[in-house]
Amino acid sequence: MLTVAMFGLAGCKGGAAADNAEEKASGKGLVIGWSQRGISGSDWWKTLVEGGQAEAGKIGARLELLDANGDTVRQNADVQTLITKGVDVVVMNRTTHLASGPRSRR
């Protein structure tokens, strides 16, 4: 998942990231916004998130995780929050492909 995030880096921030683009391409200093469909009640989702956090740490990236708790409206708001905060890339584990579609095309 983080590999996909790395490839998406170039398209998420404009010229402001040019000075440290090489550093962020390696992962160091990268801010990954992760919109998770839900965490509680599922050992699988918890393990997925823990793995993502561990991998981000290995490359020197920071993971900003937001949990929609199964709520599509909340997840759409979470993604907008991540975009507004200016994260370098957004990883989204969507609650539903229909409701989240417009947000995932941004």
Side-chain angles (χ1 to χ4, degrees):
M1 185 179 289
L2 289 178
T3 303
V4 174
M6 296 293 291
F7 287 120
L9 171 63
C12 291
K13 280 216 172 180
D19 292 341
N20 58 0
E22 284 184 34
E23 185 174 90
K24 287 192 177 189
S26 72
K28 186 172 181 167
L30 184 70
V31 179
I32 302 167
W34 185 345
S35 174
Q36 177 61 27
R37 65 188 292 165
I39 299 171
S40 63
S42 171
D43 288 340
W44 195 93
W45 293 124
K46 287 177 190 175
T47 302
L48 176 73
V49 168
E50 289 168 359
Q53 291 168 327
E55 290 301 312
K58 285 181 188 177
I59 63 171
R62 182 170 60 86
L63 193 68
E64 177 128 359
L65 175 69
L66 298 177
D67 179 9
N69 200 27
D71 183 339
T72 302
V73 173
R74 180 173 171 184
Q75 186 169 43
N76 284 332
D78 286 351
V79 170
Q80 186 58 50
T81 296
L82 293 168
I83 291 168
T84 300
K85 285 184 172 186
V87 299
D88 296 301
V89 64
V90 174
V91 176
M92 184 176 178
N93 187 355
R94 302 185 305 180
T95 55
T96 175
H97 72 285
L98 296 174
S100 301
R103 185 68 60 207
S104 65
R105 288 189 287 272
R106 288 186 100 198

